[in-house]
Amino acid sequence: MKVGIQLYSVRNAMAKDPIATLRQVVDCGYKYLETANYNADKDPGTGFGVSPREMNKILDDSGAKVVGAHMDPLDNLQPILDYFEAIGCKRIGIPMPFFKDLDDVKRQCDGFNLADEQCKARGFQLYYHNHYQEFQKFEGQTVLDYIYDNTQLYFEVDSFWAARGGVDPVALMEKLGRRLILLHQKDFSKDVREPINVFDGLVAPDADLSSLEKFDAPLSNDVFTEIGTGILPIQDYINAGNKVGVEYIFLEQDHTKMSSEIESIKTSMESFKKFSGIEWA
């Protein structure tokens, strides 16, 4: 599979100067990009006011590609599809919903299915990206299982968050099979004494995880380390992804202690090169 970068990793730099940051990212050697826009109701593109013309110039000059896009909300989907069609990206991702109860899961699945119909009508793939709240159970079934059973969405497994949700990422990848099209990779610091599984003492199985604030409250940012420098069995995840035909694995650094986000993603790139079954261009 090909290695790319989720641009959430450089969100602070993007907020200051998106064009210069994008050029820095591709100059580092990242040729496959996944955008992250949590302001999609106002900006249907990258979330930083970069026009399709500007984005295409960066891509054309560098040989890079946008191959995925996290977008929230999806209430006004057609302008989003217009933007990403213009820059040659045909995958749109649902990045981080929260769920109050099973009725809420069912309601949101109805919305996912409507968005999926609109995406398919224009030749797009709509995919779902997990965190840990999808492995909470309502009436004996995990949220992710319910989404799998009641939609036709594709999936992007974030192996770090799946492990934090108390499941085996490899087994999850095997279950999703052909519906798994993308991977996210972070790493868990070897210097932090905290259970990887958040449901092992950090978060009650029946906790209210219905908002970002409640999701974040029990967590420490100290668990994040540059990718390939921690304790997760990343080679196993790469092998499992390749087995089911995943095309791209995106490195994502949620938080760093390094002096800059660019330094962090450079370190992850160098650390990640020790793995096999991947390519960079």
Side-chain angles (χ1 to χ4, degrees):
M1 69 183 74
K2 299 176 177 67
V3 182
I5 188 79
Q6 162 52 254
L7 291 175
Y8 186 76
S9 307
V10 291
R11 60 195 177 279
N12 295 310
M14 288 281 290
K16 293 176 183 176
D17 190 335
I19 301 297
T21 301
L22 285 166
R23 293 193 184 281
Q24 282 184 288
V25 168
V26 296
D27 285 347
C28 289
Y30 289 104
K31 299 301 183 183
Y32 305 105
L33 311 177
E34 184 181 44
T35 61
N37 181 355
Y38 293 87
N39 193 34
D41 52 342
K42 298 179 177 63
D43 177 352
T46 66
F48 299 97
V50 181
S51 70
R53 180 184 60 79
E54 292 172 310
M55 181 60 82
N56 276 326
K57 177 165 178 42
I58 294 168
L59 299 177
D60 291 344
D61 289 348
S62 65
K65 298 178 182 178
V66 175
V67 294
H70 284 192
M71 304 298 294
D72 185 61
L74 291 177
D75 298 337
N76 193 17
L77 189 53
Q78 293 306 320
I80 293 171
L81 300 183
D82 291 342
Y83 183 99
F84 285 93
E85 189 168 58
I87 65 169
C89 172
K90 301 299 290 259
R91 298 183 186 92
I92 300 295
I94 300 168
M96 200 172 186
F98 298 98
F99 307 92
K100 296 177 182 177
D101 51 32
L102 185 57
D103 285 342
D104 191 29
V105 177
K106 293 177 180 178
R107 179 187 62 79
Q108 293 201 51
C109 281
D110 289 342
F112 299 158
N113 285 327
L114 288 173
D116 191 33
E117 289 176 9
Q118 294 180 62
C119 286
K120 285 177 177 172
R122 293 189 53 177
F124 280 76
Q125 293 177 319
L126 183 63
Y127 61 93
Y128 187 96
H129 170 271
N130 68 277
H131 287 77
Y132 78 82
Q133 73 273 23
E134 292 89 0
F135 303 103
Q136 186 180 46
K137 291 183 179 180
F138 293 126
E139 299 183 17
Q141 186 177 29
T142 69
V143 173
L144 197 73
D145 281 344
Y146 192 90
I147 295 170
Y148 178 84
D149 290 340
N150 292 277
T151 74
Q152 291 300 312
L153 298 182
Y154 291 96
F155 289 90
E156 174 181 61
V157 164
D158 188 309
S159 59
F160 173 96
W161 286 119
R164 298 233 72 187
V167 303
D168 175 6
V170 170
L172 177 61
M173 293 179 207
E174 291 172 348
K175 174 181 177 173
L176 296 176
R178 65 175 183 81
R179 290 172 66 180
L180 176 62
I181 59 171
L182 301 167
L183 290 178
H184 262 204
Q185 191 58 57
K186 304 175 178 61
D187 215 341
F188 194 93
S189 175
K190 60 181 118 178
D191 300 321
V192 175
R193 292 187 177 181
E194 179 177 305
I196 293 179
N197 178 2
V198 300
F199 297 116
D200 185 16
L202 290 178
V203 178
D206 60 351
D208 180 355
L209 301 174
S210 59
S211 69
L212 178 60
E213 293 73 23
K214 293 171 180 176
F215 171 95
D216 274 339
L219 305 181
S220 167
N221 293 338
D222 290 340
V223 301
F224 294 98
T225 189
E226 274 55 45
I227 305 153
T229 70
I231 63 173
L232 292 181
I234 292 174
Q235 188 65 60
D236 292 345
Y237 304 157
I238 293 170
N239 294 345
N242 279 327
K243 187 175 180 180
V244 299
V246 173
E247 189 172 1
Y248 298 99
I249 182 169
F250 298 112
L251 307 189
E252 182 179 35
Q253 192 71 35
D254 286 26
H255 302 279
T256 182
K257 295 177 182 177
M258 290 190 162
S259 60
S260 74
E261 292 168 329
I262 295 296
E263 180 188 3
S264 174
I265 66 169
K266 285 181 178 179
T267 300
S268 288
M269 171 176 272
E270 290 308 310
S271 299
F272 213 75
K273 287 179 179 177
K274 66 176 175 282
F275 298 114
S276 61
I278 54 173
E279 55 186 42
W280 295 87

